[in-house]
């Protein structure tokens, strides 16, 4: 396996916890100041950019990606100097909107997050939409890629020059499918049906050699069960989150959590991505040095 250029993939393959900040969501903007501050903040390994609950504005996403770039640092370090950005899509897993996957990936993001995945078929359809077609005889031909080919912009953000197209195609494949693949997929499990099918979803991804993050989406999950999203008296929601953690651990897939309130406990159960939703003034729970130290990250 070649050396990883994505710091996020490198950390996950070392089985280390990773920390993300939401931008363009819940009180955190997507302007130049936000990009500069987020890029410089060493407490966050990657950024989640919301397109689900904010307008589908790819022009703004492109500007945000551009604002992350420090030309001098990129020249010195390479692609690893740009903090990975994973965009949450506006469409749900049950909606076969391959064009949305294609357009967002063509901005140059490091991965996508798909809301409301409820079946193994939905998860695998996202995998197919996210990868370029492979050679018919390739050992990793399946799931067959459906992504249209227009590499100029994403190739640039992934750190490859115009003559390095083959290297880009390898790196831009889905993490796990190609030895060099670094495209990260995040599947949000946030309904009763998704929980009921979580082992089948995780098994299907594992059988296809897809490495992906399963996100335990507690907010929508609590609504699906008709319980409080604060989890104060939400036994079914809590049980659903535990089922997602268990499936991730069983099939070797990292699990993402909305908070770090019980990070050590969740980490022991298989959580490897912790998402900070908004600043503390808006009810979020930013990563603290104490949490990082408890999980072995300085």
């Amino acid at each position: 396996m070649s050396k990883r250029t994505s710091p996020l993939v490198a950390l996950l393959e070392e089985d280390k916890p990773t920390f993300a900040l939401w931008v363009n969501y819940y009180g955190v903007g997507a302007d130049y100041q936000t990009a500069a501050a987020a890029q410089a903040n060493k407490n966050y390994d990657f950024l989640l950019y919301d397109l689900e609950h904010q307008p589908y504005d790819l022009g703004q996403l492109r500007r945000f990606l551009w604002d992350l770039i420090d030309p001098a640092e990129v020249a010195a370090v390479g692609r690893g100097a740009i903090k990975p950005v994973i965009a949450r899509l506006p469409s749900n897993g049950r909606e076969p909107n391959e064009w949305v996957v294609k357009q967002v990936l063509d901005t140059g993001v490091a991965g996508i997050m798909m809301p409301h995945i409820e079946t193994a078929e939905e998860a695998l359809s996202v995998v197919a939409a996210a990868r370029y077609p492979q050679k018919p005889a390739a050992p990793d031909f399946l799931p067959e890629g459906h992504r249209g080919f227009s590499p100029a912009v994403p190739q640039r953000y992934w750190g490859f020059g115009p003559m390095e197209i083959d290297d880009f195609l390898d790196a831009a494949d889905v993490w796990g499918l190609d030895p060099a693949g670094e495209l990260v997929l995040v599947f949000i499990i946030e309904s009763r049906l998704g929980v009921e099918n979580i082992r089948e979803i995780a098994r299907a991804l594992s059988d296809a050699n897809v490495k992906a993050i399963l996100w335990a989406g507690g907010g929508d999950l609590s609504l699906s069960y008709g319980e409080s999203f604060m989890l104060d008296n939400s036994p079914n929601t809590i049980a659903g989150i535990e089922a997602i953690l268990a499936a991730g651990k069983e099939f070797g897939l990292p699990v993402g959590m909305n908070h770090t309130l019980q990070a050590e406990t969740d980490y022991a159960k298989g959580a490897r991505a912790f998402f900070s939703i908004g600043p503390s003034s808006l009810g979020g729970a930013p990563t603290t040095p104490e949490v990082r130290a408890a999980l072995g990250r300085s």
Side-chain angles (χ1 to χ4, degrees), residues 50-56 58 87-93 95 97 99-101 104 113-116:
D50 185 57
L51 291 170
E52 181 185 14
H53 296 292
Q54 298 296 321
Y56 182 70
L58 295 190
R88 178 164 67 173
L89 303 189
S91 52
N92 295 327
E95 303 173 81
N97 289 319
W99 68 272
V100 176
V101 175
V104 173
M113 171 185 278
M114 180 63 73
H116 288 285

Side-chain angles (χ1 to χ4, degrees), residues 23 28-41 63-64 67-68:
V23 298
V28 178
D31 55 16
Y32 174 76
Q33 287 81 5
T34 299
Q39 173 65 24
N41 192 331
R63 287 191 296 273
F64 182 81
D67 290 340
L68 292 176

Side-chain angles (χ1 to χ4, degrees), residues 140-157:
D140 62 344
F141 179 77
L142 298 175
E144 184 175 358
H146 296 167
R147 180 180 175 185
F149 188 57
S150 182
V153 173
Q155 188 173 343
R156 176 175 177 272
Y157 278 100

Side-chain angles (χ1 to χ4, degrees), residues 4 34 71 76 82 89 112 124 187 244 271 276 278 291 294:
R4 292 304 188 187
T34 299
I82 304 173
L89 303 189
I112 56 171
L124 292 177
F187 296 113
I244 297 167
S276 295
V291 167

Side-chain angles (χ1 to χ4, degrees), residues 70-281:
D70 179 336
E73 189 175 3
V74 171
V77 181
R79 179 190 164 211
I82 304 173
K83 194 157 289 185
V85 175
I86 293 178
R88 178 164 67 173
L89 303 189
S91 52
N92 295 327
R94 70 183 73 93
E95 303 173 81
N97 289 319
E98 293 187 353
W99 68 272
V100 176
V101 175
K102 174 173 56 182
Q103 287 199 346
V104 173
L105 288 179
D106 279 352
T107 66
V109 294
I112 56 171
M113 171 185 278
M114 180 63 73
H116 288 285
I117 288 293
E118 296 180 324
T119 68
E121 291 75 17
E122 290 173 2
L124 292 177
S125 72
V126 175
V127 174
R131 67 188 314 228
Y132 293 113
Q134 306 298 301
K135 295 178 181 178
D140 62 344
F141 179 77
L142 298 175
E144 184 175 358
H146 296 167
R147 180 180 175 185
F149 188 57
S150 182
V153 173
Q155 188 173 343
R156 176 175 177 272
Y157 278 100
W158 281 60
F160 295 97
M163 303 306 293
E164 299 175 299
I165 187 63
D166 288 339
D167 292 334
F168 166 70
L169 289 174
D170 289 340
D173 202 357
V174 173
W175 177 37
L177 278 174
D178 189 291
E182 296 190 354
L183 184 68
V184 177
L185 303 180
V186 183
F187 296 113
I188 312 181
I189 310 301
E190 49 188 337
S191 70
R192 290 176 296 154
L193 181 58
V195 170
E196 290 172 8
N197 291 328
I198 185 57
R199 289 192 73 253
E200 287 73 19
I201 294 170
R203 184 194 304 277
L205 293 171
S206 178
D207 288 348
N209 295 317
V210 172
K211 301 292 289 184
I213 298 173
L214 303 175
W215 179 25
D220 279 272
L221 185 58
S222 66
L223 294 179
S224 182
Y225 284 118
E227 297 179 333
S228 169
F229 75 95
M230 297 301 292
L231 303 185
D232 295 331
N233 185 26
S234 307
N236 293 310
T237 305
I238 293 172
I241 293 172
E242 293 294 325
I244 297 167
L245 283 163
K249 194 162 190 177
E250 179 182 357
F251 292 99
L253 300 175
V255 175
M257 305 296 291
N258 267 341
H259 54 75
T260 59
L261 298 177
Q262 52 186 37
E264 290 183 78
T265 299
D266 291 336
Y267 179 78
K269 295 177 180 178
R272 293 295 181 270
F274 298 91
F275 309 151
S276 295
I277 301 182
S280 55
S281 61

